[in-house]
Amino acid sequence: MKALPPKNPRAFTLLELLIVMVLVAIMAAVSYNGIIGARDHSRLNSSTDVVIGMIQTARNHALSDMQFEVAGTCNADYYYVSFDDLPAITVEAYLADCGGSAYQQELASEEIMEEIGLEITLEDGSTYTIPEGVPPSNTPLLNYTPPLAETGWDEEITITLSTENGLLTKTIIVYPVSGLPELVTSSD
């Protein structure tokens, strides 16, 4: 009787396949959380840039003191940032008396990510979650008067942006003297 030659294994065993599948599943679960975190971080950064950019745009328009052709040539009484239609943030000009009527002229509009929450806090502690709680006022909160871009408020305005889960936040303070937005805290 002849002896059988030793087997030359050319396939994986079921146990080896199961171990590899478990390792792949663990790596996928770990990387998924990282991908979601990176996505949220990117959305928050993008939305923060939009808010800061819109505030600077309103201030720059006030410094330029443009003239508008609406009902004759008119100058704006003030330029302001509107949060009324989130996720869209707009910069508008208010013309109180232009040919006997008042006009609002939209100058710029950008959108923040819908998953980002926005909250405005005044120095007196009043907090408004936008868009549900737009601050009650006849004059918009963040407004600049031409030609020197004087601010229409006398206390710091804090704008906090956060992700849906609240794990990531960014805080912007707009100072009444300069009207410039400053990113002061970030929980990255």
Side-chain angles (χ1 to χ4, degrees):
M1 195 160 179
K2 231 174 175 189
L4 292 173
K7 279 190 174 180
N8 192 1
R10 293 186 182 188
F12 296 108
T13 66
L14 184 59
L15 182 61
E16 290 171 329
L17 289 174
L18 286 174
I19 290 172
V20 169
M21 288 174 53
V22 166
L23 289 174
V24 168
I26 289 171
M27 289 178 10
V30 169
S31 65
Y32 176 77
N33 288 334
I35 291 170
I36 296 300
R39 182 195 68 189
D40 288 348
H41 185 71
S42 174
R43 288 178 176 174
L44 182 63
N45 284 342
S46 173
S47 296
T48 302
D49 291 345
V50 166
V51 171
I52 290 173
M54 290 285 99
I55 294 169
Q56 290 174 332
T57 298
R59 185 175 180 277
N60 290 342
H61 278 294
L63 286 170
S64 70
D65 195 18
M66 301 182 337
Q67 291 189 329
F68 295 91
E69 292 291 331
V70 181
T73 303
C74 306
N75 286 15
D77 291 286
Y78 57 83
Y79 298 85
Y80 64 95
V81 180
S82 172
F83 299 98
D84 294 343
D85 298 321
L86 277 187
I89 298 175
T90 58
V91 172
E92 299 179 17
Y94 179 74
L95 296 83
D97 185 21
C98 188
S101 299
Y103 294 95
Q104 290 176 285
Q105 180 76 36
E106 183 176 308
L107 303 173
S109 179
E110 286 196 48
E111 289 192 5
I112 64 171
M113 299 292 175
E114 290 186 18
E115 299 84 6
I116 300 299
L118 195 140
E119 185 176 274
I120 296 178
T121 306
L122 304 179
E123 212 170 271
D124 66 5
S126 306
T127 300
Y128 305 95
T129 303
I130 307 298
E132 294 86 27
V134 177
S137 173
N138 293 337
T139 306
L141 194 59
L142 289 166
N143 64 78
Y144 298 89
T145 306
L148 300 176
E150 298 167 36
T151 60
W153 66 93
D154 56 0
E155 54 188 41
E156 290 178 0
I157 297 174
T158 303
I159 302 171
T160 304
L161 292 96
S162 61
T163 55
E164 282 180 318
N165 58 15
L167 294 177
L168 299 172
T169 62
K170 291 197 181 255
T171 303
I172 302 165
I173 293 182
V174 188
Y175 297 101
V177 175
S178 67
L180 291 171
E182 180 183 347
L183 182 63
V184 290
T185 59
S186 178
S187 68
D188 313 318

